[in-house]
Amino acid sequence: ESGEYVAIKVQRPDIREMVSKDLYVLRRAAEVYQGLVERFAPQQKTDYVALLNEWAVGFYTELDFMNEAKNQMELKSALEERGSGGVYIPRVYE
């Protein structure tokens, strides 16, 4: 009613469960790939399973909209305190 433009983020129901299943499949694939690399290219030192696990943590963090809102408000406050102009951080509606 105010005429203000807003952006809305919508999260699908059961998305965490779907993501967990997908990450499980990816982890299994990474384990197989890691075994092949260790057998056929032992000079390659990348730990693909650990890399995937680290990526998964970040992925779950991205699904936490309350954490994202908190970070957005903190960033907005920090920029305002420093007088950083030219960067627009939208208001968070809770």
Side-chain angles (χ1 to χ4, degrees), residues 26-83:
L26 284 172
R27 189 174 197 289
R28 296 302 306 219
E31 290 169 351
V32 170
Y33 185 72
Q34 187 74 46
L36 292 170
V37 167
E38 288 171 1
R39 182 172 180 189
F40 296 109
Q43 72 279 8
Q44 173 69 340
K45 300 299 181 193
T46 302
D47 185 343
Y48 293 100
V49 175
L51 187 63
L52 178 68
N53 289 339
E54 191 66 30
W55 179 78
V57 169
F59 202 91
Y60 282 116
T61 302
E62 288 296 317
L63 292 175
D64 184 349
F65 285 1
M66 296 306 291
N67 183 60
E68 183 177 350
K70 179 183 74 74
N71 289 338
Q72 183 173 329
M73 290 185 288
E74 287 175 4
L75 177 61
K76 182 174 186 166
S77 176
L79 288 175
E80 286 172 352
E81 286 174 13
R82 289 175 179 75

Side-chain angles (χ1 to χ4, degrees), residues 14-28 60:
D14 303 321
I15 191 68
R16 290 186 198 285
E17 290 80 12
M18 291 177 6
V19 166
S20 292
K21 289 175 186 174
D22 290 344
L23 289 172
Y24 173 77
V25 171
L26 284 172
R27 189 174 197 289
R28 296 302 306 219
Y60 282 116

